[in-house]
Amino acid sequence: AWPAAAKLLQLEPVNGTSSATWYFSLPSPPPVADPLIVLQSYGSSSTEVDARSRVVNIGFPSTVQPSYAPHGYALAAVTVMGAQVEEAWVRAQVENLLGIECQAWRHLRTFNIGFH
């Protein structure tokens, strides 16, 4: 049950998580040219597993459907699970994961899902 429903029905609280997908416009070509989603993997020895937030995947929807971005540009979607983070944190994570600089990326919009 959702948290509000659990309260109304006097049920035990439930655990859930939150996520946000950050959308960016970037000059073409995207750093991943194939129609793939880059999944983040944290090894058992990683300290990042305990972090409050983490990037779980990065995709480039305009690689699959070119009409999702204007000519000369690509669309990036970066999904973060956990606590809300700042744009600078997202950019640093993308740069670390993909080994690129994303200074030229323009933040378009962020969609937050508060509980799931």
Side-chain angles (χ1 to χ4, degrees):
W2 291 77
K7 270 186 183 178
L8 288 172
L9 299 172
Q10 299 177 350
L11 299 173
E12 292 294 318
V14 294
N15 292 326
T17 189
S18 60
S19 66
T21 300
W22 295 68
Y23 289 92
F24 295 89
S25 171
L26 59 140
S28 287
V32 178
D34 295 320
L36 303 171
I37 295 174
V38 178
L39 301 175
Q40 172 59 300
S41 173
Y42 295 92
S44 60
S45 63
S46 175
T47 58
E48 300 219 29
V49 171
D50 299 324
R52 290 175 25 112
S53 301
R54 64 186 181 123
V55 169
V56 291
N57 62 57
I58 303 170
F60 299 90
S62 56
T63 299
V64 177
Q65 179 49 264
S67 67
Y68 287 178
H71 181 71
Y73 291 89
L75 177 65
V78 181
T79 300
V80 176
M81 288 195 67
Q84 290 187 358
V85 295
E86 298 292 326
E87 182 180 341
W89 183 91
V90 174
R91 288 176 180 274
Q93 294 297 307
V94 169
E95 290 176 350
N96 185 49
L97 290 168
L98 299 181
I100 60 159
E101 284 192 20
C102 59
Q103 297 288 349
W105 293 24
R106 184 172 62 95
H107 179 239
L108 299 172
R109 191 161 186 187
T110 302
F111 289 94
N112 292 298
I113 300 175
F115 180 85
H116 55 91

